[in-house]
Amino acid sequence: MSSSLHPSLNYNAPGSPENTAGYNSEEIDAVKYAGSTCPSNSEFDGSLKCEEKELDVAGDKDDREPEDSPFEVVRTAVSNTDVPSMPSMTFRTHVLGVFFVCLISFVNQFYWERDNPIALNLLIVQLLCYPMGVAMAWALPKRTWNFFGYKWTMNPGEFTVKEHVLISLMSNASAFMALTVDIFAVLRLYYNPSFPLWAALLLLLSGQLFAYALAGLSRTLLVLPAPMIWPSSLINASLFRTFHEHQEHNIETVQEEAVSNVIGASHTRQRWQWRWRRRSLSGMTRTRFFWICFVCSFVWYFIPGYFVQLLSTVSVLCLVAPNNHLANMLGDGKQGLGILSFSLDWSVFSNAFLQSPIATPFWAACNLFLGFVLVFWIALPVAYFNNLWDSATLPLYSLDVFTTNGTKYNITRVMRDGVFNPQAYNHYSPLRMSLEFSWVYGIGFAALMSILVHIGLYNGKEIISRLRETKAKHDDIHGKLIMSYPSVKAWWYLVLLIASSATGIAVGVGAQIGVPWWGYMLSFAIAIVLVIPVGIIQAISNRQPGLSLVAELLSGVVLQGIPTGYSILKLYGHGSLAQALSYAQDMKLAHYMKIPPRHVLIYQLVGIVISVIIQTSLFFWLIDRIPNMCRPEGYPWVCRSTNLVYSASIIWNLIGPLRVFGEGSPYSPLLWGFLFGLVLPIPIYFLQRRFPNQTWLQHVYIPVILSGIVGLPPMPPVDFPMWFLFGFIFNFVIHRYWHAWWQKYNFTLSAGLDSGLALSGILQFLALAQNGLKLDWWGNRVDRQCTLSSKPWIAPG
């Protein structure tokens, strides 16, 4: 039940004809010629001559149209040409690739265990990498060295789009690995305090390499066929082409001169007024704007991050009525409903739970926020204060699991020799959850079924059509162009798959995790069986079904009584499957951008190895250095996601779904969520067909509405309204009334704020917190703002 369950979101309404495209076609047209950069050793004269020569690769040398993709959404975003001589694996890619892998791995893991984790992603690498690559192309010497017959240079010429893509793919291999590190955090903190670092390193490495091998073996079905579009990759391809558009300035100049000749000298003043107005809105370069945002974010985060931590979450109702129990529960932004709470901390607006509000289209944000309001602000308090399932005897919002008398569940009371003991369980207590925690699972069941039904209704015909076209349109122009490079042999991936899985079993059994060998084999089988069907759905519809619940259900049924079994199923069953699909999507992006496959293999594998070492070692180091790590007393290192994984391991594997959700349990009605999710998208589908002119109705998306509550917990409740508010300002108000500004600076703003906050937080930790320089005053006592919110409404009887 993490934020990873949220379906992928794109910029088109779910009922629109081009639903598979996650971009604006008008913006794509503006960068149509950006993909075919001239080779660095060619003479570039500012014209399109070099590009015209390359068209011969894509088509005949006569007057016929050059060959292109059979799909319009691909044609508008991806160039149908290639320059094989363009440098890709260079000294610059080595340096920048390793730098960004280390940066992303360190920052994401460092912040992952904090109260409001942030996540640097591919977009930030794309934005930061380009000016650094251009600067290296300007500053590095162009001398060629001869090393025992091997000639190489630090500077082969201009910074190319292929270098840019390769660096981004290398760093993206580590972008979401912190989710998997949680598994070993739970083992180390709660089940085996002596769990060694070497075992965690090898297990995580085996899981990531297994995922990569799985993606490689699936590439003939998920990457190479033209119908496997992977719409999210089209967005990234468009951005890369935008960065490397050399003719954009020349084209604008020609257009302005043409306008001047047509309208005559009498309209010169109007033209200059139009030009001035455009410059006033978007005259500053993106690079300068990025650094302004970066500096402001860096400086400001010292206020809510160090000097006045209370500003991270200001609970107005608690400040007005600190001794009122109801006001505390309604107003607490951390453990209550978060009503009237607000924040002045960017990590609340943009974090790893919801991602940047700027990157989410406004129609999707409305759906998500609608689900949050309906469930969290309306249905939940009504049910809680009416004591549904005796929920009022427990806290309103909590990640923990409890006994029937309201105390935290002590797993040692129901375990013997590391496994579940039914007799001890009967003598101790059934498991209880906070009402919100239990509802998250029920809504998660509904969300899982609704996304499957939605894909069938809205994309079913398209999926069937694309599957039928797979053989006929396998060798489109992009497939033909990539054939000019040496391919990666299938047996390479097969050897990697066998070696990584064997290593995982050997290390797991040797480290005495407690899971039998067949448990590992089951985990591998889940990923192998599901990668193709789930990958096809995601590649065509841009949506991924909720894989986490699938792994949790299977682990709870098959490995019930072995709490550590949750970690293994999560690592190899869910984690490896999700990572394999992420790697496959990156391979498709490399396919579109004509990156040599063997270069992609090398850089992604190196990125995986470096990120595993950094993230796992960093977390173990933080555990040893920070007192009360993953405890409320250790704020801001409260480890929300890690504690959620711990509670889930108790629910699904220690106690098991049959006892938690089975007959006789108060939570058994939650199983109706499967039926609810199966039925709910159907009437919406027919209403959208019956009333096609109702714009608001066309933007109703049931899977996203249901997903609006899935991330609570572990997400603090204050995050959602703040996230939506910022999205409303930028993706609705500014998008509508200052579109030129939005189009140029919107994503740069998000990248600058995220990057400045990341560096500021790390500096505060290393320079201040690690040296004992803490400010102990009222503005930093965040635990005293709402002291009554964690208490149950009714005292347990």
Side-chain angles (χ1 to χ4, degrees):
M1 309 310 303
S2 66
S3 59
S4 62
L5 286 175
H6 287 213
S8 301
L9 306 176
N10 54 37
Y11 274 86
N12 293 76
S16 63
E18 293 296 337
N19 185 39
T20 56
Y23 49 83
N24 188 315
S25 60
E26 295 179 359
E27 297 172 11
I28 298 300
D29 291 339
V31 295
K32 184 177 293 184
Y33 298 98
S36 298
T37 309
C38 293
S40 57
N41 57 357
S42 67
E43 296 181 0
F44 180 68
D45 59 359
S47 68
L48 298 178
K49 293 180 180 179
C50 172
E51 204 169 56
E52 290 171 354
K53 288 190 293 184
E54 296 304 327
L55 287 176
D56 293 338
V57 177
D60 298 329
K61 298 181 180 181
D62 52 25
D63 295 333
R64 289 181 295 175
E65 287 291 330
E67 185 179 354
D68 209 331
S69 170
F71 302 102
E72 182 181 4
V73 292
V74 178
R75 292 196 298 270
T76 58
V78 182
S79 172
N80 64 339
T81 64
D82 183 32
V83 182
S85 59
M86 180 185 294
S88 56
M89 191 165 66
T90 66
F91 174 80
R92 294 186 298 236
T93 58
H94 299 338
V95 174
L96 292 179
V98 172
F99 169 76
F100 279 107
V101 167
C102 294
L103 175 67
I104 298 295
S105 301
F106 185 89
V107 170
N108 286 0
Q109 186 59 56
F110 180 86
Y111 278 93
W112 184 246
E113 308 303 341
R114 293 170 67 93
D115 191 38
N116 282 299
I118 64 172
L120 303 184
N121 52 30
L122 179 61
L123 174 62
I124 289 181
V125 177
Q126 287 176 294
L127 294 173
L128 294 180
C129 175
Y130 180 73
M132 296 176 68
V134 171
M136 291 182 72
W138 175 81
L140 289 177
K142 296 184 178 181
R143 175 186 171 185
T144 301
W145 280 271
N146 192 326
F147 186 74
F148 296 103
Y150 174 74
K151 294 182 179 181
W152 68 283
T153 178
M154 299 174 67
N155 190 352
E158 65 174 336
F159 183 63
T160 69
V161 65
K162 292 192 178 184
E163 291 177 288
H164 197 174
V165 174
L166 206 53
I167 294 167
S168 301
L169 294 181
M170 184 177 182
S171 61
N172 201 45
S174 63
F176 303 102
M177 206 170 293
L179 291 166
T180 316
V181 177
D182 279 338
I183 296 168
F184 302 104
V186 169
L187 289 176
R188 173 71 182 269
L189 290 169
Y190 299 108
Y191 291 113
N192 184 3
S194 61
F195 187 72
L197 173 61
W198 67 266
L201 283 170
L202 290 177
L203 283 171
L204 184 55
L205 184 61
S206 71
Q208 299 303 311
L209 294 179
F210 174 81
Y212 188 77
L214 194 59
L217 289 173
S218 306
R219 75 193 191 287
T220 55
L221 293 175
L222 298 182
V223 177
L224 299 181
M228 300 297 108
I229 288 177
W230 294 93
S232 294
S233 297
L234 299 176
I235 305 173
N236 293 318
S238 301
L239 184 57
F240 281 121
R241 296 180 66 190
T242 302
F243 274 114
H244 296 269
E245 172 58 89
H246 297 288
Q247 290 77 38
E248 183 175 1
H249 175 71
N250 293 336
I251 292 173
E252 287 186 358
T253 303
V254 171
Q255 289 174 340
E256 290 182 6
E257 291 178 353
V259 171
S260 177
N261 292 332
V262 171
I263 65 177
S266 62
H267 292 167
T268 301
R269 181 184 176 189
Q270 294 180 3
R271 191 180 78 250
W272 279 104
Q273 287 178 344
W274 171 79
R275 183 181 298 178
W276 177 88
R277 189 180 301 114
R278 186 182 65 173
R279 288 178 177 175
S280 66
L281 291 173
S282 56
M284 186 185 302
T285 64
R286 288 187 180 95
T287 302
R288 177 177 294 181
F289 184 75
F290 169 85
W291 286 113
I292 291 175
C293 296
F294 177 91
V295 172
C296 292
S297 178
F298 176 87
V299 174
W300 172 252
Y301 190 60
F302 276 89
I303 305 299
Y306 181 73
F307 291 108
V308 192
Q309 296 177 10
L310 190 68
L311 294 179
S312 180
T313 301
V314 180
S315 301
V316 176
L317 293 180
C318 294
L319 296 177
V320 172
N323 298 319
N324 187 299
H325 193 185
L326 179 61
N328 275 237
M329 300 184 81
L330 295 179
D332 190 357
K334 298 291 185 182
Q335 301 181 80
L337 296 179
I339 297 175
L340 296 183
S341 294
F342 68 92
S343 174
L344 298 177
D345 181 354
W346 175 247
S347 68
V348 171
F349 291 85
S350 174
N351 53 56
F353 297 128
L354 285 168
Q355 304 300 322
S356 172
I358 293 176
T360 304
F362 185 64
W363 71 264
C366 290
N367 278 268
L368 288 167
F369 191 63
L370 175 63
F372 171 82
V373 171
L374 291 176
V375 175
F376 202 76
W377 279 356
I378 298 177
L380 179 64
V382 170
Y384 179 82
F385 290 112
N386 282 283
N387 199 25
L388 177 67
W389 305 336
D390 291 329
S391 58
T393 61
L394 301 173
L396 173 62
Y397 184 83
S398 176
L399 287 169
D400 298 317
V401 290
F402 302 90
T403 63
T404 52
N405 63 9
T407 60
K408 289 187 178 181
Y409 210 86
N410 185 355
I411 60 174
T412 61
R413 296 283 300 273
V414 297
M415 294 176 65
R416 297 292 184 271
D417 299 324
V419 297
F420 178 75
N421 186 283
Q423 290 75 26
Y425 173 80
N426 293 332
H427 284 90
Y428 183 46
S429 171
L431 181 142
R432 294 291 182 264
M433 297 175 274
S434 67
L435 186 62
E436 165 58 17
F437 197 177
S438 65
W439 277 19
V440 164
Y441 281 116
I443 296 172
F445 299 151
L448 173 61
M449 298 306 298
S450 70
I451 187 66
L452 295 176
V453 174
H454 182 95
I455 290 171
L457 291 173
Y458 291 89
N459 304 101
K461 293 181 179 179
E462 183 183 15
I463 292 174
I464 295 173
S465 167
R466 296 275 176 84
L467 290 177
R468 289 174 177 172
E469 295 170 347
T470 297
K471 290 185 177 180
K473 297 184 178 179
H474 186 112
D475 294 328
D476 67 344
I477 181 59
H478 306 294
K480 293 177 181 178
L481 291 174
I482 206 70
M483 290 293 291
S484 64
Y485 302 100
S487 63
V488 179
K489 306 298 182 183
W491 67 267
W492 295 5
Y493 292 117
L494 183 60
V495 169
L496 183 61
L497 183 82
I498 296 173
S500 59
S501 57
T503 301
I505 296 175
V507 174
V509 174
Q512 299 180 346
I513 292 180
V515 179
W517 64 268
W518 55 264
Y520 295 86
M521 298 299 293
L522 174 64
S523 304
F524 299 142
I526 292 174
I528 293 173
V529 170
L530 293 180
V531 66
I532 298 299
V534 175
I536 290 174
I537 292 174
Q538 185 174 347
I540 295 175
S541 69
N542 203 32
R543 301 178 186 90
Q544 185 184 103
L547 303 176
S548 180
L549 270 179
V550 175
E552 289 171 341
L553 284 168
L554 289 174
S555 66
V557 173
V558 178
L559 295 174
Q560 190 276 322
I562 307 175
T564 52
Y566 181 88
S567 298
I568 299 304
L569 262 295
K570 197 77 170 177
L571 173 63
Y572 294 110
H574 167 245
S576 293
L577 176 56
Q579 287 284 36
L581 297 177
S582 176
Y583 295 144
Q585 180 167 288
D586 286 348
M587 290 178 182
K588 188 66 176 186
L589 176 59
H591 181 83
Y592 282 144
M593 304 305 294
K594 322 304 184 297
I595 311 298
R598 294 188 180 182
H599 293 183
V600 176
L601 172 73
I602 293 171
Y603 272 69
Q604 287 188 310
L605 287 179
V606 172
I608 289 171
V609 173
I610 294 176
S611 59
V612 165
I613 295 173
I614 291 178
Q615 293 196 338
T616 310
S617 302
L618 176 60
F619 181 79
F620 274 66
W621 181 80
L622 290 173
I623 291 177
D624 296 333
R625 297 280 294 184
I626 299 176
N628 299 311
M629 180 77 170
C630 298
R631 301 287 192 275
E633 301 78 16
Y635 181 89
W637 305 93
V638 294
C639 309
R640 287 179 173 269
S641 182
T642 300
N643 286 322
L644 177 64
V645 172
Y646 170 62
S647 295
S649 70
I650 299 174
I651 295 169
W652 292 102
N653 279 80
L654 181 61
I655 310 301
L658 296 180
R659 287 185 174 87
V660 175
F661 300 104
E663 185 178 357
S665 169
Y667 307 120
S668 60
L670 295 175
L671 297 177
W672 287 99
F674 288 108
L675 181 61
F676 181 74
L678 190 69
V679 172
L680 191 57
I682 298 176
I684 300 298
Y685 173 80
F686 286 106
L687 284 173
Q688 290 175 344
R689 295 299 180 269
R690 177 66 179 82
F691 304 101
N693 296 325
Q694 295 294 327
T695 305
W696 68 270
L697 183 60
Q698 301 305 314
H699 288 81
V700 175
Y701 184 11
I702 294 301
V704 177
I705 293 176
L706 295 175
S707 298
I709 201 66
V710 167
L712 290 156
M715 181 175 59
V718 69
D719 290 13
F720 229 125
M722 292 295 97
W723 174 84
F724 179 76
L725 174 63
F726 202 88
F728 170 76
I729 293 173
F730 281 85
N731 284 348
F732 179 76
V733 178
I734 295 180
H735 178 271
R736 170 169 289 190
Y737 298 106
W738 294 278
H739 187 74
W741 189 97
W742 181 92
Q743 193 172 25
K744 184 171 184 179
Y745 297 124
N746 202 45
F747 293 106
T748 305
L749 171 69
S750 179
L753 295 177
D754 286 348
S755 303
L757 183 147
L759 183 60
S760 180
I762 293 172
L763 181 62
Q764 291 174 38
F765 174 75
L766 296 177
L768 301 174
Q770 284 298 289
N771 293 315
L773 301 176
K774 298 182 179 180
L775 297 178
D776 185 13
W777 70 293
W778 175 82
N780 281 347
R781 295 168 186 168
V782 294
D783 56 333
R784 301 183 186 180
Q785 187 175 181
C786 300
T787 57
L788 302 177
S789 60
S790 60
K791 299 181 181 298
W793 182 246
I794 299 175

